[in-house]
Amino acid sequence: MAITIIKIAGLLCFLILPLMGPSKRRPKKYKRPDKTFISAHYGINKDGELEELFSK
């Protein structure tokens, strides 16, 4: 009897979850800084080596 109830509950979960649809998207709390702004201290040069970046 308990196994039947668990099977029915599991079946209902698999039927209800796809019908719920996608969740609502939350508004972004932050804005990206300007893409020209360098915030990293290290970078990779043309040779593939790690080098320190100096702010200009």
Side-chain angles (χ1 to χ4, degrees):
M1 179 81 171
I3 295 174
T4 305
I5 294 172
I6 292 172
K7 286 182 180 179
I8 292 172
L11 179 65
L12 289 176
C13 287
F14 283 111
L15 291 176
I16 292 173
L17 288 176
L19 296 176
M20 287 178 57
S23 62
K24 295 180 181 177
R25 293 184 182 230
R26 297 178 184 168
K28 292 182 180 179
K29 294 181 181 178
Y30 62 92
K31 294 181 180 179
R32 289 181 78 177
D34 188 15
K35 292 182 180 179
T36 59
F37 180 72
I38 298 173
S39 61
H41 296 287
Y42 294 95
I44 298 176
N45 60 12
K46 294 178 183 177
D47 298 327
E49 298 173 350
L50 188 65
E51 67 179 24
E52 188 173 356
L53 299 175
F54 298 104
S55 60
K56 295 180 180 180

